[in-house]
């Protein structure tokens, strides 16, 4: 196995807003805290075939290929994975890591050693009636860690939580 190729790039010209990370205009560098973003160059996934019933492939340290399928509850065959299932798995894993890191930073590592995180992802109509498409709702359940401050710190640190709470930088390119 080769180590993950990563590069750090400064966010000095970007500002985190409620709608996500946006390019700052007319903002002096002294007013922006310097942060970096970790770029995981080998974490790329592609989707091919008939949309939600196609194939997804992930490349990198441990390549993965999955058959996708609409869930039975949504009228599909349910004979493969679905994006919500994969999102829930990633979120649960990421939140657990953030929980354990938050506990370690608070010098209470033992509080999260045996924790279990469950992510329930719901796909349905958006809460705003004027928006076309689907809405996403997520419930995170933390078991085995009763410290509210550590759970809150994990929620603030977890990239999935941050993306859903503050927005994420997304760029769509036509190639």
């Amino acid at each position: 196995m080769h180590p993950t190729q990563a590069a750090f790039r400064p966010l000095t010209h970007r500002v985190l807003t409620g709608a996500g990370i946006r390019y700052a205009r007319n903002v002096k560098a002294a007013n922006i805290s310097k942060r970096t973003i970790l770029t995981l160059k080998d974490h790329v996934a592609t989707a091919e075939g008939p949309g939600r019933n196609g194939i997804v492939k992930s490349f990198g340290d441990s390549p993965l290929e999955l058959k996708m399928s609409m869930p039975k509850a949504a009228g599909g065959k349910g004979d493969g994975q679905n994006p919500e299932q994969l999102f829930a798995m990633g979120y649960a894993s990421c939140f657990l890591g953030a929980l354990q890191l938050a506990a370690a930073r608070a010098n209470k590592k033992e509080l999260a050693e045996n924790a279990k995180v469950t992510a329930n992802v719901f796909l349905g109509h958006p809460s705003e009636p004027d928006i076309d498409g689907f809405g996403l709702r997520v419930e995170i359940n933390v078991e085995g860690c009763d410290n509210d401050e550590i759970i809150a710190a994990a929620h603030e640190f977890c990239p999935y939580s941050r993306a859903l709470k503050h927005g994420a930088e997304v760029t769509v390119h036509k190639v």
Side-chain angles (χ1 to χ4, degrees):
M1 245 190 255
H2 59 82
T4 300
Q5 296 173 346
F8 290 95
R9 58 187 166 105
L11 283 176
T12 55
H13 63 288
R14 296 178 187 185
V15 176
L16 183 64
T17 67
I21 298 173
R22 301 288 181 246
Y23 286 96
R25 292 189 180 112
N26 301 323
V27 177
K28 295 179 182 176
N31 296 336
I32 302 172
S33 63
K34 293 184 179 181
R35 293 181 42 194
T36 58
I37 227 174
L38 178 65
T39 302
L40 301 172
K41 294 182 179 182
D42 61 348
H43 288 66
V44 176
T46 61
E48 299 175 350
R52 292 178 58 104
N53 292 302
I55 301 290
V56 291
K57 298 176 185 177
S58 172
F59 308 93
D61 295 339
S62 182
L64 178 64
E65 182 175 324
L66 297 171
K67 178 183 182 216
M68 303 300 286
S69 175
M70 288 282 286
K72 286 183 181 180
K77 292 181 182 178
D79 60 348
Q81 283 67 45
N82 62 70
E84 297 75 32
Q85 178 185 28
L86 301 178
F87 186 85
M89 292 169 71
Y91 201 157
S93 175
C94 192
F95 197 94
L96 179 59
L99 184 72
Q100 291 169 342
L101 179 64
R105 285 182 172 176
N107 291 320
K108 298 178 181 179
K109 185 178 178 179
E110 69 282 352
L111 293 181
E113 285 179 336
N114 298 314
K116 178 180 176 182
V117 174
T118 303
N120 296 311
V121 175
F122 303 91
L123 187 66
H125 296 289
S127 57
E128 293 185 34
D130 295 337
I131 296 177
D132 193 25
F134 291 98
L136 184 70
R137 182 170 57 91
V138 180
E139 292 177 1
I140 299 294
N141 298 305
V142 179
E143 190 179 329
C145 179
D146 294 329
N147 188 304
D148 291 336
E149 290 176 7
I150 290 174
I151 293 170
H155 185 49
E156 287 298 315
F157 185 80
C158 175
Y160 280 78
S161 293
R162 293 179 67 83
L164 293 178
K165 184 176 180 182
H166 301 289
E169 182 178 347
V170 177
T171 306
V172 178
H173 298 277
K174 183 175 102 176
V175 292

